[in-house]
Amino acid sequence: MSSVEYLKGIGPAKAKMLARLDIFSVADLLHYYPRTYQDRRENAANNGLNPPSLTVFKGRVLRTQTVPARSVLIFKAFLADAANNQIECTWFKRRTFRSFRFDPFGTLKKDFKINAEIWVIGRKENRNNFFDNKITVEEYYPANAPETAYQTGRITPIYGLTEGLTNKQMRQYMHEALFSAEAQNEPDILPPALAQKRQLLASTQALKAIHFPASLAELENARARLAYEEFLLLATAWGVKRTQTKAIAKGYGYEIKKNLLTPFRKNLGFDFTPSQKKVINEIFADLQSPLPMNRLLQGDVGSGKTLVALSAMLLAAENGYQSAIMAPTEILAEQHFLTFQKILKKLKVPVAVLTSSTKTPERKKILAALADGSLSVVVGTHALIQDDVKFKNLKLAVIDEQHRFGVKQRAKLKEKTAKLDLLTMTATPIPRTLALAFYGDLAVSTITQLPPGRRPIATQMADEYRARHIVAEEVQKGRQAYIVYPLIEESENISAKAVSEEFEKLKEVFPQFKLAMLHGQMSRTEKESVMKDFAAHKTDILVATPVIEVGIDVPNATVMVIENAERFGLASLHQLRGRVGRGQYDSQCILVAQHKGSVARERLSIICQTCDGFKIGERDMQLRGPGEILGTRQSGELEFKAGDLFKDRNILQWAIEDRDELLKDDPLLQKPEHAPFKQRLLELYQKNWHLIDLS
């Protein structure tokens, strides 16, 4: 691939700037798609591409003048547009020492000769919500200049930039790239039958049209072609991985003996919901299959995913196998440990917790017990995937809150043993079509019901005074409350309240109640003590950071106050809200926001309108994007350049259907017509998804 440095107009200095955008070759540049577009055609229709203040016109120069000022120099050009309206165009330059020796407006004076025709792009001045005929100029192009053909007078691309680069330059570089040998020889990697079936543009057409479309229709056709290509590559990679997984027998099996499962269910004191039973049956069927399990378990906050996972881990223990559950935070790992310890102690199943905070003597004991097989169940964080952690007979791994782990971290756990059954769990439910894209090599199980007794949680926005009044009312009734802050200590860089500072103030606000503080920097012993006291109702109000987002279950807690709610994502707000509504009493969540930008307002409005985790998960993905929600950005998957998983759901569905057709016809992509597609799969995904072997 040719280095971008040698493209006309770039050179070594600009190449270094482009490298900050991950553009190293001409091919990288060609596939660096516009962030948005402007309609720079004359008399452009109001099609949503341009903001109201933007104006684009071709005019004839009537006169010019330079206006002296104290700190800036001002150049004005007066142009007549097609309707003979006079428009005043203005440029500003800061006074510098150089400006006393050289005329900073020399080029402008040369270009803006009387009667010259000029294209001008700028922002109209807004006076009392009325845009007048005065413009601050952003770009201009003489009508007869060669570059004008791709800089204006058309639908014009706007790119994401880095310091030192302008959109004017990027369009120039892209125009050069599109006429380079790389662009002319761009391989059309799509299987011909699929491209014809979906009536998609050829690759070279799509590349030209995504950068310099002749019309909005051509732009949409180009984007559809490129989005389809991205989706098909992703879906096929996962499909190949799924085929590979199914091709290898695990060489061990499970027998349902019920010597642990039966007493476990009896000791719970309640029955599983029909949805939980269905999911357990699906998981047990996978475990008893000769092929490794690779299943995603998704369910809303409080739907009982942990007990489902524990059922699978007990089946493993019944058969003499070890199991591990990996959680993203120490607080969640410790909560799982406390839950498991209480249940498994009665069943005489050994369990331990391993985190980065585990003391050296205890860590050595746990590592020895894992190595000799005497420890059946281990709960942990990333500490479980350290090189010195060895298992004797690990057969089942459970990954909780899987969206917080990258592909490589999950793979590291699977490397602990030759064959492994894997159950991943998420409380960020997503629609089935998207699940197929995100987790194409996983079977998907969904818990659709909440356990009996879970009550809807009334959610509202309120000021701090109102929130504290509600807390006092509930605690006086004998209930308990959470008050959550985003930070542990005050920060100069972030305008948000801190739990340590506010805790002292709240003790004065609620002198009649018992308060406790909980945050992630406390020791394990301190955290356990605080949580046990709150569960035993020795404290009334728990003041905490988001460490309580998952894993805490206190039926008597009926109020969740979230301070600086605008700083939390939708999934976090929903998780925090799920800490209440777990008992027989009506519960409520109060959102206290300090700054309400448009996105924050929308996010808070959504959480007030619904308790449906599927709707919330979908809206969260629309607002923040799938990579951020699902933790994939750390590993490079799902960073689609052309596709939008919500806008293009029909194209995604095409890709999934066509992937199945493609792999059914040619499972190993060995046909000559599929060679370019297979090669692109290798190039794009081998470096990120080292689990996928297409050789």
Side-chain angles (χ1 to χ4, degrees):
M1 290 187 290
S2 300
S3 170
V4 74
E5 177 182 340
Y6 302 111
L7 202 63
K8 183 181 176 182
I10 295 184
K14 293 298 182 185
K16 287 181 181 178
M17 296 176 190
L18 289 167
R20 295 201 293 265
L21 299 172
D22 290 328
I23 298 172
F24 302 96
S25 66
V26 174
D28 292 335
L29 182 62
L30 287 168
H31 290 279
Y32 189 76
Y33 305 143
R35 176 176 54 83
T36 186
Y37 299 84
Q38 288 178 354
D39 193 341
R40 294 185 174 183
R41 295 173 293 186
E42 278 193 283
N43 304 313
N46 183 12
N47 51 30
L49 289 181
N50 298 343
S53 62
L54 184 75
T55 188
V56 180
F57 74 99
K58 184 167 69 171
R60 179 173 53 84
V61 179
L62 301 174
R63 60 189 175 89
T64 64
Q65 69 178 103
T66 303
V67 182
R70 176 175 290 183
S71 59
V72 295
L73 296 169
I74 302 171
F75 179 80
K76 291 180 181 290
F78 299 85
L79 281 75
D81 66 10
N84 216 31
N85 298 310
Q86 181 172 296
I87 300 175
E88 179 184 318
C89 302
T90 306
W91 289 257
F92 298 91
K93 294 277 188 181
R94 186 184 298 275
R95 277 191 181 274
T96 63
F97 176 76
R98 182 180 172 83
S99 66
F100 288 101
R101 300 179 59 195
F102 302 98
D103 185 354
F105 297 127
T107 302
L108 284 168
K109 290 175 180 176
K110 179 182 174 184
D111 289 337
F112 281 78
K113 295 281 179 65
I114 305 302
N115 289 326
E117 284 200 325
I118 310 283
W119 279 95
V120 177
I121 300 97
R123 303 279 170 171
K124 296 178 184 177
E125 293 186 18
N126 187 344
R127 299 176 188 272
N128 299 318
N129 295 319
F130 176 75
F131 292 110
D132 58 23
N133 279 355
K134 294 185 177 181
I135 294 171
T136 300
V137 179
E138 294 180 352
E139 297 175 40
Y140 77 91
Y141 301 95
N144 59 358
E147 64 179 331
T148 302
Y150 57 85
Q151 294 284 8
T152 192
R154 62 177 310 128
I155 297 171
T156 308
I158 306 295
Y159 298 92
L161 300 173
T162 187
E163 186 178 356
L165 289 174
T166 67
N167 262 296
K168 183 176 180 178
Q169 291 169 329
M170 285 294 286
R171 288 189 286 271
Q172 177 191 336
Y173 303 156
M174 206 65 72
H175 187 261
E176 292 292 334
L178 284 166
F179 287 94
S180 68
E182 279 84 350
Q184 306 310 312
N185 298 323
E186 173 78 10
D188 209 326
I189 67 160
L190 286 184
L194 297 182
Q196 186 176 359
K197 174 184 175 182
R198 300 300 181 184
Q199 296 184 311
L200 298 169
L201 292 179
S203 180
T204 50
Q205 285 180 285
L207 271 181
K208 184 178 179 183
I210 199 72
H211 293 293
F212 298 107
S215 66
L216 290 175
E218 186 183 61
L219 171 59
E220 191 52 36
N221 287 337
R223 205 186 59 76
R225 149 69 204 231
L226 296 168
Y228 175 86
E229 183 175 304
E230 289 180 330
F231 293 157
L232 185 66
L233 284 164
L234 173 71
T236 305
W238 281 124
V240 171
K241 174 58 188 165
R242 183 172 59 194
T243 302
Q244 291 172 352
T245 301
K246 288 183 175 180
I248 305 170
K250 59 191 179 187
Y252 60 89
Y254 297 78
E255 182 184 343
I256 301 177
K257 301 176 181 179
K258 299 188 178 180
N259 56 350
L260 292 175
L261 289 167
T262 298
F264 161 61
R265 294 182 68 167
K266 285 181 179 176
N267 292 341
L268 284 177
F270 56 84
D271 199 10
F272 287 123
T273 64
S275 187
Q276 283 175 307
K277 290 177 182 177
K278 177 178 177 292
V279 166
I280 288 171
N281 287 336
E282 291 170 348
I283 293 169
F284 280 19
D286 277 359
L287 293 175
Q288 292 176 286
S289 164
L291 304 174
M293 175 173 74
N294 214 15
R295 184 168 288 274
L296 169 72
L297 171 60
Q298 60 176 3
D300 208 345
V301 176
S303 61
K305 297 184 298 297
T306 303
L307 289 179
V308 168
L310 184 53
S311 298
M313 297 170 85
L314 285 173
L315 179 58
E318 280 189 340
N319 286 271
Y321 304 143
Q322 291 173 300
S323 58
I325 179 167
M326 189 162 72
T329 64
E330 287 194 14
I331 193 79
L332 179 54
E334 287 158 4
Q335 277 298 304
H336 281 328
F337 172 65
L338 292 175
T339 301
F340 286 12
Q341 189 180 48
K342 189 161 80 173
I343 294 170
L344 299 180
K345 191 174 183 181
K346 297 175 184 177
L347 302 175
K348 296 188 168 80
V349 176
V351 59
V353 61
L354 183 65
T355 70
S356 58
S357 298
T358 304
K359 303 294 183 188
T360 301
E362 179 66 14
R363 178 182 171 81
K364 285 182 178 178
K365 281 185 191 176
I366 293 170
L367 294 185
L370 289 174
D372 67 24
S374 58
L375 184 58
S376 300
V377 176
V378 63
V379 183
T381 55
H382 296 76
L384 288 176
I385 60 176
Q386 300 305 308
D387 291 339
D388 61 345
V389 180
K390 311 288 184 187
F391 293 85
K392 182 179 182 181
N393 202 17
L394 178 66
K395 290 292 182 281
L396 173 63
V398 180
I399 297 178
D400 195 11
E401 294 300 311
Q402 77 78 38
H403 57 282
R404 302 196 191 181
F405 294 101
V407 166
K408 292 177 183 176
Q409 293 167 315
R410 300 198 288 272
K412 190 84 172 169
L413 184 57
K414 294 178 83 171
E415 289 170 4
K416 294 292 179 184
T417 185
K419 301 287 191 303
L420 186 68
D421 289 302
L422 182 64
L423 177 67
T424 61
M425 303 196 298
T426 180
T428 306
I430 56 177
R432 177 164 176 76
T433 303
L434 300 185
L436 288 169
F438 295 133
Y439 314 111
D441 67 330
L442 276 69
V444 180
S445 290
T446 305
I447 301 177
T448 56
Q449 298 168 299
L450 292 178
R454 289 304 303 267
R455 305 173 73 86
I457 302 159
T459 306
Q460 61 175 299
M461 284 185 273
D463 60 29
E464 199 166 63
Y465 176 82
R466 173 66 181 155
R468 291 176 177 180
H469 177 71
I470 292 170
V471 168
E473 279 187 332
E474 285 296 299
V475 175
Q476 283 166 355
K477 294 177 189 174
R479 308 285 80 78
Q480 292 165 274
Y482 301 98
I483 302 179
V484 176
Y485 294 92
L487 304 174
I488 297 172
E489 296 177 346
E490 292 281 4
S491 167
E492 293 180 4
N493 301 320
I494 301 175
S495 177
K497 294 187 175 180
V499 66
S500 55
E501 302 289 330
E502 296 300 317
F503 179 66
E504 297 303 320
K505 297 176 185 176
L506 288 171
K507 286 197 289 189
E508 297 177 10
V509 174
F510 301 112
Q512 72 276 39
F513 303 135
K514 294 176 183 175
L515 280 70
M517 179 170 62
L518 181 68
H519 57 73
Q521 290 184 5
M522 296 165 66
S523 71
R524 177 180 160 192
T525 305
E526 289 174 319
K527 285 185 278 193
E528 281 185 13
S529 175
V530 169
M531 289 187 292
K532 284 179 181 176
D533 284 351
F534 190 66
H537 202 171
K538 291 181 181 178
T539 50
D540 301 306
I541 302 171
L542 184 59
V543 184
T545 61
V547 295
I548 65 157
E549 182 179 318
V550 286
I552 295 202
D553 188 356
V554 180
N556 192 50
T558 58
V559 183
M560 168 62 71
V561 176
I562 305 174
E563 294 274 358
N564 288 113
E566 76 280 5
R567 296 194 61 81
F568 294 85
L570 267 174
S572 290
L573 291 171
H574 185 50
Q575 287 273 17
L576 286 167
R577 174 171 61 183
R579 297 309 101 207
V580 296
R582 292 173 169 261
Q584 58 182 307
Y585 310 107
D586 290 335
S587 296
Q588 48 193 315
C589 177
I590 316 298
L591 308 175
V592 180
Q594 307 300 320
H595 310 286
K596 299 176 187 173
S598 59
V599 174
R601 273 197 308 272
E602 185 174 359
R603 195 161 56 231
L604 299 180
S605 173
I606 292 163
I607 209 76
C608 289
Q609 290 168 14
T610 181
C611 288
D612 186 325
F614 281 85
K615 291 179 182 176
I616 290 167
E618 184 167 338
R619 292 296 290 120
D620 205 12
M621 245 180 275
Q622 285 177 296
L623 288 172
R624 293 200 285 159
E628 189 176 343
I629 299 299
L630 298 165
T632 56
R633 297 226 168 120
Q634 60 189 297
S635 297
E637 311 102 291
L638 296 185
E639 294 183 12
F640 298 121
K641 295 179 180 179
D644 182 307
L645 283 163
F646 288 89
K647 181 178 179 181
D648 302 322
R649 274 193 261 191
N650 64 318
I651 300 175
L652 175 59
Q653 189 63 51
W654 288 355
I656 292 168
E657 291 171 4
D658 294 349
R659 179 273 313 272
D660 293 341
E661 179 183 314
L662 177 67
L663 294 181
K664 183 179 178 181
D665 174 57
D666 186 11
L668 298 178
L669 302 176
Q670 292 177 320
K671 291 186 176 182
E673 63 266 32
H674 298 156
F677 185 74
K678 181 176 180 177
Q679 181 60 34
R680 181 62 61 84
L681 268 178
L682 285 164
E683 291 170 3
L684 291 182
Y685 291 105
Q686 213 167 37
K687 61 183 178 181
N688 291 326
W689 291 345
H690 57 283
L691 293 177
I692 297 172
D693 178 13
L694 299 178
S695 58

